[in-house]
């Protein structure tokens, strides 16, 4: 049976006194199932844990990089959204100026061209959705 409190000086303070009692008994049970001493089982367990710590550290670095990338992408989306809004306003201004030029100052002609423009715009928007 695996010992919870080995007397061998190489172990220093007994293993069971270094960890929670319930954990010690649980690990002792697992060690027995594996046919190992408690100290060997704990050694292997710690070796695995060290590997997990390394993997966790790597994942934390990767997460940090992904967060930075995400922030950069959000910034780019905000810039593109702003640019798109500016382009829409520019297109409206150009269309308005074009209509005024075509109507040569005639208000009724300008009104008719605006109605025609709006009809065409609605039709195109409707066609794009389908």
């Amino acid at each position: 049976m695996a010992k919870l409190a080995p007397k061998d000086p190489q172990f220093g303070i007994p293993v069971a006194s270094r960890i929670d009692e319930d954990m010690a008994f649980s690990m002792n049970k697992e060690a027995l199932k594996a046919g190992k001493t408690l100290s060997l089982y704990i050694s292997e367990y710690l070796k695995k844990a060290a590997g997990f710590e390394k993997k966790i550290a790597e994942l934390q670095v990767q997460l940090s990089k992904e967060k930075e990338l995400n922030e950069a992408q959000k910034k780019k989306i905000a810039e593109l959204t702003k640019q798109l809004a500016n382009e829409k306003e520019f297109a409206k201004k150009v269309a308005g100026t074009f209509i005024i030029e075509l109507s040569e100052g005639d208000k009724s002609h300008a009104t008719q061209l605006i109605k025609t423009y709006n009809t065409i715009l609605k039709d195109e928007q409707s066609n794009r959705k389908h």
Side-chain angles (χ1 to χ4, degrees), residues 76-99:
K76 185 68 174 174
I77 288 170
E79 290 172 8
L80 290 173
T81 302
K82 185 178 179 180
Q83 183 180 351
L84 179 60
N86 289 340
E87 291 295 327
K88 281 182 174 181
E89 287 302 314
F90 179 72
K92 285 181 184 179
K93 184 178 178 181
V94 169
T97 304
F98 183 68
I99 288 171

Side-chain angles (χ1 to χ4, degrees), residues 10-114:
Q10 73 179 351
F11 298 109
I13 300 171
V15 172
S17 67
R18 293 183 186 186
I19 59 176
D20 177 81
E21 184 178 349
D22 291 335
M23 176 71 94
F25 281 108
S26 174
M27 290 181 124
N28 189 46
K29 197 183 273 188
E30 293 299 319
L32 286 173
K33 284 182 190 175
K36 300 175 182 176
T37 64
L38 178 60
S39 57
L40 177 60
Y41 182 81
I42 290 174
S43 173
E44 291 173 352
Y45 189 88
L46 291 173
K47 190 174 186 178
K48 286 179 188 175
F52 290 141
E53 285 180 357
K54 182 180 177 187
K55 185 66 176 173
I56 288 170
E58 291 171 358
L59 290 173
Q60 285 175 330
V61 168
Q62 183 180 351
L63 178 62
S64 178
K65 288 179 182 177
E66 292 294 333
K67 283 181 178 178
E68 288 176 20
L69 180 60
N70 188 24
E71 288 302 315
Q73 289 174 336
K74 283 181 181 178
K75 225 178 195 179
K76 185 68 174 174
I77 288 170
E79 290 172 8
L80 290 173
T81 302
K82 185 178 179 180
Q83 183 180 351
L84 179 60
N86 289 340
E87 291 295 327
K88 281 182 174 181
E89 287 302 314
F90 179 72
K92 285 181 184 179
K93 184 178 178 181
V94 169
T97 304
F98 183 68
I99 288 171
I100 290 170
E101 288 292 322
L102 284 178
S103 66
E104 297 175 345
D106 182 358
K107 287 184 179 182
S108 63
H109 190 223
T111 303
Q112 182 57 44
L113 289 172
I114 290 170

Side-chain angles (χ1 to χ4, degrees), residues 111-128:
T111 303
Q112 182 57 44
L113 289 172
I114 290 170
K115 286 180 182 178
T116 303
Y117 173 81
N118 287 333
T119 302
I120 292 169
L121 183 62
K122 283 182 184 180
D123 288 346
E124 289 300 318
Q125 288 172 338
S126 176
N127 288 338
R128 187 184 324 169

